[in-house]
Amino acid sequence: MLRSKINITGNKLQDDVILSLVSFVTLVLLGHIQLDLVEGLPITLQSLLVVLFPLMFGMRVGLIFVSAYLLAGGLGAPVFAGNESGWGHFLGETGGFLFAFPIAALISGVAGEMAHKIPSLNRLTFVTGAMILFVSQVIILLLGIGWMDALSHTSFDFTSKITSLMPRLLVKTALGTIVFVLIGRILNNLNTKR
């Protein structure tokens, strides 16, 4: 939703590459930091950043930087939660979350681009952004927990997992919405001064 306000080089493709690189570096630096542990599941900023940047910069940027992130982690860069890496994480308990990242990035990017084209939603940037961030993170949560459930050899309480993670998801959504709105206002101010 903010992509139309960004013009770095004058070339959209070059700008998308720059925005993808900035998104990737931010995710690598901040995404793996563990905020909390809930029953062995790390709570990190990954899921927020994976959907925030596509919301701000569009689907193409989202898919490029998330794919680069997953590839880097798979190849051994310590970018996953807890400074972990390796292809084994895609097959382990957290694999569902990793596979959900590009799906959620795609949904967030497409929803952001569509909302930008609808004047009534574009005027409600705060609410629209919050809804897109929340739904995109819920998709990551559902796919990730569903994967964990499929791998579990014991009875798995799906509802209690979601209930225990929902307050943290709401906090991350609020944080992402604030960042989204602030960056939007900064870009508006910069564009009016040109």
Side-chain angles (χ1 to χ4, degrees):
M1 288 171 67
L2 303 178
R3 178 65 184 93
S4 63
K5 300 174 185 177
I6 299 172
N7 186 6
I8 302 167
T9 65
N11 181 309
K12 186 173 178 167
L13 184 58
Q14 289 176 350
D15 288 355
D16 283 350
V17 170
I18 292 168
L19 292 171
S20 297
L21 183 61
V22 168
S23 302
F24 174 78
V25 169
T26 304
L27 180 59
V28 167
L29 293 175
L30 300 178
H32 70 279
I33 298 171
Q34 293 185 4
L35 300 175
D36 195 4
L37 277 174
V38 177
E39 298 175 29
L41 182 65
I43 304 299
T44 65
L45 293 177
Q46 286 172 323
S47 65
L48 172 61
L49 297 174
V50 160
V51 297
L52 178 62
F53 290 119
L55 174 63
M56 291 191 304
F57 305 139
M59 174 194 64
R60 181 167 47 185
V61 170
L63 290 177
I64 291 170
F65 97 90
V66 169
S67 299
Y69 170 76
L70 294 174
L71 182 62
L75 291 173
V79 296
F80 296 151
N83 292 323
E84 296 288 328
S85 65
W87 296 114
H89 288 279
F90 289 88
L91 302 175
E93 284 192 352
T94 58
F97 294 97
L98 296 175
F99 285 120
F101 285 173
I103 296 167
L106 175 70
I107 290 169
S108 176
V110 169
E113 290 171 6
M114 288 174 60
H116 181 67
K117 294 176 184 174
I118 301 171
S120 59
L121 292 179
N122 203 16
R123 284 191 297 272
L124 301 170
T125 304
F126 185 83
V127 174
T128 305
M131 288 174 48
I132 292 170
L133 289 174
F134 179 74
V135 168
S136 300
Q137 289 184 92
V138 166
I139 290 168
I140 293 171
L141 186 63
L142 291 175
L143 292 175
I145 291 177
W147 181 278
M148 289 175 76
D149 183 32
L151 293 179
S152 176
H153 299 294
T154 61
S155 115
F156 191 89
D157 189 1
F158 199 81
T159 306
S160 70
K161 277 272 193 213
I162 291 176
T163 303
S164 69
L165 294 172
M166 196 55 66
R168 289 161 180 84
L169 183 74
L170 291 171
V171 169
K172 288 196 293 185
T173 299
L175 176 65
T177 304
I178 291 167
V179 169
F180 172 67
V181 170
L182 287 176
I183 290 176
R185 288 184 180 171
I186 290 168
L187 289 172
N188 281 339
N189 287 339
L190 290 174
N191 287 333
T192 57
K193 291 179 182 179
R194 286 184 182 176

mmCIF file of all heavy atoms in Angstrom, residues 52-84:
data_model
loop_
_atom_site.group_PDB
_atom_site.id
_atom_site.type_symbol
_atom_site.label_atom_id
_atom_site.label_comp_id
_atom_site.label_asym_id
_atom_site.label_seq_id
_atom_site.Cartn_x
_atom_site.Cartn_y
_atom_site.Cartn_z
ATOM 1 N N LEU A 52 4.548 -7.830 6.977
ATOM 2 C CA LEU A 52 4.579 -6.365 7.002
ATOM 3 C C LEU A 52 5.204 -5.788 5.731
ATOM 4 O O LEU A 52 4.647 -4.869 5.122
ATOM 5 C CB LEU A 52 5.339 -5.864 8.236
ATOM 6 C CG LEU A 52 5.500 -4.351 8.375
ATOM 7 C CD1 LEU A 52 4.137 -3.670 8.484
ATOM 8 C CD2 LEU A 52 6.356 -4.023 9.592
ATOM 9 N N PHE A 53 6.337 -6.318 5.328
ATOM 10 C CA PHE A 53 7.008 -5.774 4.141
ATOM 11 C C PHE A 53 6.202 -5.976 2.853
ATOM 12 O O PHE A 53 6.118 -5.050 2.040
ATOM 13 C CB PHE A 53 8.428 -6.322 4.013
ATOM 14 C CG PHE A 53 9.354 -5.782 5.059
ATOM 15 C CD1 PHE A 53 9.969 -6.620 5.963
ATOM 16 C CD2 PHE A 53 9.594 -4.419 5.155
ATOM 17 C CE1 PHE A 53 10.817 -6.130 6.943
ATOM 18 C CE2 PHE A 53 10.442 -3.906 6.131
ATOM 19 C CZ PHE A 53 11.051 -4.767 7.024
ATOM 20 N N PRO A 54 5.577 -7.147 2.636
ATOM 21 C CA PRO A 54 4.717 -7.247 1.443
ATOM 22 C C PRO A 54 3.525 -6.290 1.491
ATOM 23 O O PRO A 54 3.125 -5.759 0.456
ATOM 24 C CB PRO A 54 4.240 -8.703 1.468
ATOM 25 C CG PRO A 54 5.252 -9.424 2.275
ATOM 26 C CD PRO A 54 5.747 -8.437 3.278
ATOM 27 N N LEU A 55 2.981 -6.056 2.681
ATOM 28 C CA LEU A 55 1.893 -5.094 2.817
ATOM 29 C C LEU A 55 2.366 -3.706 2.406
ATOM 30 O O LEU A 55 1.677 -2.981 1.694
ATOM 31 C CB LEU A 55 1.370 -5.071 4.256
ATOM 32 C CG LEU A 55 0.329 -3.999 4.588
ATOM 33 C CD1 LEU A 55 -0.951 -4.198 3.780
ATOM 34 C CD2 LEU A 55 0.029 -3.992 6.070
ATOM 35 N N MET A 56 3.554 -3.335 2.831
ATOM 36 C CA MET A 56 4.068 -2.002 2.532
ATOM 37 C C MET A 56 4.567 -1.872 1.098
ATOM 38 O O MET A 56 4.318 -0.867 0.439
ATOM 39 C CB MET A 56 5.210 -1.642 3.492
ATOM 40 C CG MET A 56 4.768 -1.431 4.911
ATOM 41 S SD MET A 56 6.024 -0.696 6.004
ATOM 42 C CE MET A 56 7.401 -1.788 5.849
ATOM 43 N N PHE A 57 5.297 -2.891 0.623
ATOM 44 C CA PHE A 57 6.019 -2.758 -0.643
ATOM 45 C C PHE A 57 5.460 -3.588 -1.791
ATOM 46 O O PHE A 57 5.942 -3.496 -2.904
ATOM 47 C CB PHE A 57 7.488 -3.116 -0.445
ATOM 48 C CG PHE A 57 8.170 -2.337 0.636
ATOM 49 C CD1 PHE A 57 9.056 -2.960 1.499
ATOM 50 C CD2 PHE A 57 7.940 -0.980 0.812
ATOM 51 C CE1 PHE A 57 9.700 -2.254 2.496
ATOM 52 C CE2 PHE A 57 8.575 -0.266 1.808
ATOM 53 C CZ PHE A 57 9.457 -0.903 2.657
ATOM 54 N N GLY A 58 4.484 -4.443 -1.536
ATOM 55 C CA GLY A 58 3.859 -5.205 -2.607
ATOM 56 C C GLY A 58 4.256 -6.668 -2.641
ATOM 57 O O GLY A 58 5.215 -7.105 -2.006
ATOM 58 N N MET A 59 3.491 -7.404 -3.420
ATOM 59 C CA MET A 59 3.646 -8.840 -3.510
ATOM 60 C C MET A 59 5.017 -9.247 -4.049
ATOM 61 O O MET A 59 5.649 -10.162 -3.539
ATOM 62 C CB MET A 59 2.551 -9.410 -4.412
ATOM 63 C CG MET A 59 2.684 -10.875 -4.695
ATOM 64 S SD MET A 59 1.631 -11.424 -6.044
ATOM 65 C CE MET A 59 2.305 -10.528 -7.425
ATOM 66 N N ARG A 60 5.491 -8.586 -5.089
ATOM 67 C CA ARG A 60 6.769 -8.976 -5.693
ATOM 68 C C ARG A 60 7.911 -8.846 -4.699
ATOM 69 O O ARG A 60 8.711 -9.764 -4.539
ATOM 70 C CB ARG A 60 7.039 -8.143 -6.950
ATOM 71 C CG ARG A 60 8.341 -8.539 -7.615
ATOM 72 C CD ARG A 60 8.529 -7.994 -8.992
ATOM 73 N NE ARG A 60 8.240 -6.580 -9.109
ATOM 74 C CZ ARG A 60 8.250 -5.939 -10.270
ATOM 75 N NH1 ARG A 60 8.505 -6.589 -11.377
ATOM 76 N NH2 ARG A 60 7.988 -4.662 -10.317
ATOM 77 N N VAL A 61 7.987 -7.736 -4.011
ATOM 78 C CA VAL A 61 9.028 -7.551 -3.000
ATOM 79 C C VAL A 61 8.893 -8.614 -1.913
ATOM 80 O O VAL A 61 9.877 -9.216 -1.481
ATOM 81 C CB VAL A 61 8.963 -6.129 -2.388
ATOM 82 C CG1 VAL A 61 9.861 -6.001 -1.169
ATOM 83 C CG2 VAL A 61 9.333 -5.086 -3.429
ATOM 84 N N GLY A 62 7.656 -8.871 -1.487
ATOM 85 C CA GLY A 62 7.418 -9.869 -0.450
ATOM 86 C C GLY A 62 7.905 -11.246 -0.831
ATOM 87 O O GLY A 62 8.584 -11.919 -0.048
ATOM 88 N N LEU A 63 7.565 -11.681 -2.017
ATOM 89 C CA LEU A 63 7.972 -13.019 -2.437
ATOM 90 C C LEU A 63 9.479 -13.120 -2.653
ATOM 91 O O LEU A 63 10.087 -14.143 -2.340
ATOM 92 C CB LEU A 63 7.220 -13.428 -3.706
ATOM 93 C CG LEU A 63 5.734 -13.707 -3.501
ATOM 94 C CD1 LEU A 63 5.057 -14.027 -4.831
ATOM 95 C CD2 LEU A 63 5.517 -14.829 -2.499
ATOM 96 N N ILE A 64 10.098 -12.063 -3.155
ATOM 97 C CA ILE A 64 11.552 -12.086 -3.373
ATOM 98 C C ILE A 64 12.289 -12.188 -2.046
ATOM 99 O O ILE A 64 13.152 -13.050 -1.858
ATOM 100 C CB ILE A 64 12.016 -10.832 -4.156
ATOM 101 C CG1 ILE A 64 11.514 -10.880 -5.595
ATOM 102 C CG2 ILE A 64 13.541 -10.710 -4.125
ATOM 103 C CD1 ILE A 64 11.726 -9.588 -6.363
ATOM 104 N N PHE A 65 11.968 -11.327 -1.094
ATOM 105 C CA PHE A 65 12.755 -11.330 0.139
ATOM 106 C C PHE A 65 12.456 -12.545 1.007
ATOM 107 O O PHE A 65 13.358 -13.081 1.662
ATOM 108 C CB PHE A 65 12.609 -10.000 0.906
ATOM 109 C CG PHE A 65 11.603 -9.982 2.017
ATOM 110 C CD1 PHE A 65 11.982 -10.326 3.305
ATOM 111 C CD2 PHE A 65 10.295 -9.601 1.788
ATOM 112 C CE1 PHE A 65 11.052 -10.296 4.341
ATOM 113 C CE2 PHE A 65 9.377 -9.557 2.805
ATOM 114 C CZ PHE A 65 9.757 -9.918 4.089
ATOM 115 N N VAL A 66 11.218 -13.044 1.023
ATOM 116 C CA VAL A 66 10.903 -14.242 1.808
ATOM 117 C C VAL A 66 11.576 -15.466 1.202
ATOM 118 O O VAL A 66 12.138 -16.297 1.918
ATOM 119 C CB VAL A 66 9.378 -14.442 1.934
ATOM 120 C CG1 VAL A 66 9.043 -15.813 2.496
ATOM 121 C CG2 VAL A 66 8.778 -13.359 2.815
ATOM 122 N N SER A 67 11.576 -15.565 -0.119
ATOM 123 C CA SER A 67 12.257 -16.686 -0.777
ATOM 124 C C SER A 67 13.749 -16.648 -0.506
ATOM 125 O O SER A 67 14.370 -17.684 -0.223
ATOM 126 C CB SER A 67 11.997 -16.653 -2.287
ATOM 127 O OG SER A 67 10.622 -16.782 -2.552
ATOM 128 N N ALA A 68 14.338 -15.466 -0.569
ATOM 129 C CA ALA A 68 15.771 -15.329 -0.278
ATOM 130 C C ALA A 68 16.067 -15.703 1.170
ATOM 131 O O ALA A 68 17.073 -16.362 1.467
ATOM 132 C CB ALA A 68 16.222 -13.892 -0.558
ATOM 133 N N TYR A 69 15.201 -15.315 2.068
ATOM 134 C CA TYR A 69 15.357 -15.635 3.489
ATOM 135 C C TYR A 69 15.319 -17.146 3.726
ATOM 136 O O TYR A 69 16.175 -17.710 4.410
ATOM 137 C CB TYR A 69 14.258 -14.932 4.283
ATOM 138 C CG TYR A 69 14.155 -15.348 5.714
ATOM 139 C CD1 TYR A 69 15.068 -14.895 6.659
ATOM 140 C CD2 TYR A 69 13.136 -16.193 6.136
ATOM 141 C CE1 TYR A 69 14.965 -15.281 7.988
ATOM 142 C CE2 TYR A 69 13.023 -16.571 7.459
ATOM 143 C CZ TYR A 69 13.947 -16.113 8.373
ATOM 144 O OH TYR A 69 13.850 -16.502 9.685
ATOM 145 N N LEU A 70 14.320 -17.817 3.152
ATOM 146 C CA LEU A 70 14.192 -19.264 3.329
ATOM 147 C C LEU A 70 15.370 -19.994 2.684
ATOM 148 O O LEU A 70 15.894 -20.958 3.252
ATOM 149 C CB LEU A 70 12.868 -19.756 2.751
ATOM 150 C CG LEU A 70 11.617 -19.264 3.474
ATOM 151 C CD1 LEU A 70 10.366 -19.696 2.724
ATOM 152 C CD2 LEU A 70 11.582 -19.736 4.914
ATOM 153 N N LEU A 71 15.809 -19.534 1.523
ATOM 154 C CA LEU A 71 16.950 -20.142 0.857
ATOM 155 C C LEU A 71 18.223 -19.959 1.678
ATOM 156 O O LEU A 71 18.995 -20.909 1.867
ATOM 157 C CB LEU A 71 17.113 -19.534 -0.542
ATOM 158 C CG LEU A 71 18.232 -20.101 -1.406
ATOM 159 C CD1 LEU A 71 18.001 -21.584 -1.690
ATOM 160 C CD2 LEU A 71 18.319 -19.332 -2.721
ATOM 161 N N ALA A 72 18.430 -18.756 2.183
ATOM 162 C CA ALA A 72 19.619 -18.496 3.006
ATOM 163 C C ALA A 72 19.622 -19.372 4.255
ATOM 164 O O ALA A 72 20.649 -19.962 4.611
ATOM 165 C CB ALA A 72 19.679 -17.019 3.397
ATOM 166 N N GLY A 73 18.485 -19.486 4.915
ATOM 167 C CA GLY A 73 18.388 -20.330 6.102
ATOM 168 C C GLY A 73 18.606 -21.794 5.785
ATOM 169 O O GLY A 73 19.279 -22.515 6.517
ATOM 170 N N GLY A 74 18.040 -22.247 4.686
ATOM 171 C CA GLY A 74 18.219 -23.637 4.281
ATOM 172 C C GLY A 74 19.659 -23.959 3.939
ATOM 173 O O GLY A 74 20.158 -25.053 4.233
ATOM 174 N N LEU A 75 20.346 -23.003 3.347
ATOM 175 C CA LEU A 75 21.743 -23.211 2.948
ATOM 176 C C LEU A 75 22.735 -23.066 4.103
ATOM 177 O O LEU A 75 23.925 -23.285 3.911
ATOM 178 C CB LEU A 75 22.115 -22.249 1.817
ATOM 179 C CG LEU A 75 21.437 -22.515 0.473
ATOM 180 C CD1 LEU A 75 21.748 -21.412 -0.516
ATOM 181 C CD2 LEU A 75 21.867 -23.873 -0.079
ATOM 182 N N GLY A 76 22.258 -22.697 5.276
ATOM 183 C CA GLY A 76 23.147 -22.676 6.430
ATOM 184 C C GLY A 76 23.346 -21.345 7.122
ATOM 185 O O GLY A 76 24.029 -21.275 8.142
ATOM 186 N N ALA A 77 22.781 -20.261 6.596
ATOM 187 C CA ALA A 77 22.882 -18.972 7.287
ATOM 188 C C ALA A 77 22.010 -19.032 8.536
ATOM 189 O O ALA A 77 20.853 -19.445 8.460
ATOM 190 C CB ALA A 77 22.449 -17.828 6.375
ATOM 191 N N PRO A 78 22.535 -18.634 9.684
ATOM 192 C CA PRO A 78 21.773 -18.753 10.940
ATOM 193 C C PRO A 78 20.699 -17.670 11.093
ATOM 194 O O PRO A 78 20.795 -16.788 11.930
ATOM 195 C CB PRO A 78 22.854 -18.615 12.003
ATOM 196 C CG PRO A 78 23.894 -17.747 11.356
ATOM 197 C CD PRO A 78 23.864 -18.094 9.892
ATOM 198 N N VAL A 79 19.650 -17.760 10.279
ATOM 199 C CA VAL A 79 18.632 -16.709 10.250
ATOM 200 C C VAL A 79 17.304 -17.135 10.851
ATOM 201 O O VAL A 79 16.442 -16.293 11.095
ATOM 202 C CB VAL A 79 18.405 -16.199 8.804
ATOM 203 C CG1 VAL A 79 19.659 -15.536 8.261
ATOM 204 C CG2 VAL A 79 17.939 -17.322 7.890
ATOM 205 N N PHE A 80 17.113 -18.430 11.091
ATOM 206 C CA PHE A 80 15.849 -18.890 11.662
ATOM 207 C C PHE A 80 15.831 -18.629 13.165
ATOM 208 O O PHE A 80 16.833 -18.226 13.749
ATOM 209 C CB PHE A 80 15.634 -20.374 11.375
ATOM 210 C CG PHE A 80 15.499 -20.720 9.916
ATOM 211 C CD1 PHE A 80 15.884 -21.961 9.446
ATOM 212 C CD2 PHE A 80 14.985 -19.815 8.994
ATOM 213 C CE1 PHE A 80 15.767 -22.292 8.107
ATOM 214 C CE2 PHE A 80 14.857 -20.130 7.655
ATOM 215 C CZ PHE A 80 15.251 -21.378 7.208
ATOM 216 N N ALA A 81 14.697 -18.858 13.791
ATOM 217 C CA ALA A 81 14.534 -18.627 15.230
ATOM 218 C C ALA A 81 15.672 -19.275 16.008
ATOM 219 O O ALA A 81 16.051 -20.408 15.744
ATOM 220 C CB ALA A 81 13.198 -19.186 15.697
ATOM 221 N N GLY A 82 16.228 -18.530 16.950
ATOM 222 C CA GLY A 82 17.318 -19.037 17.778
ATOM 223 C C GLY A 82 18.627 -19.174 17.028
ATOM 224 O O GLY A 82 19.471 -19.994 17.391
ATOM 225 N N ASN A 83 18.817 -18.414 15.954
ATOM 226 C CA ASN A 83 20.021 -18.471 15.115
ATOM 227 C C ASN A 83 20.241 -19.844 14.501
ATOM 228 O O ASN A 83 21.366 -20.276 14.313
ATOM 229 C CB ASN A 83 21.257 -18.033 15.898
ATOM 230 C CG ASN A 83 21.229 -16.567 16.250
ATOM 231 O OD1 ASN A 83 20.768 -15.746 15.455
ATOM 232 N ND2 ASN A 83 21.683 -16.224 17.434
ATOM 233 N N GLU A 84 19.160 -20.518 14.197
ATOM 234 C CA GLU A 84 19.224 -21.854 13.598
ATOM 235 C C GLU A 84 19.258 -21.751 12.077
ATOM 236 O O GLU A 84 18.956 -20.705 11.498
ATOM 237 C CB GLU A 84 18.006 -22.683 14.027
ATOM 238 C CG GLU A 84 17.947 -22.957 15.511
ATOM 239 C CD GLU A 84 18.985 -23.966 15.967
ATOM 240 O OE1 GLU A 84 19.322 -24.872 15.188
ATOM 241 O OE2 GLU A 84 19.467 -23.834 17.102
#
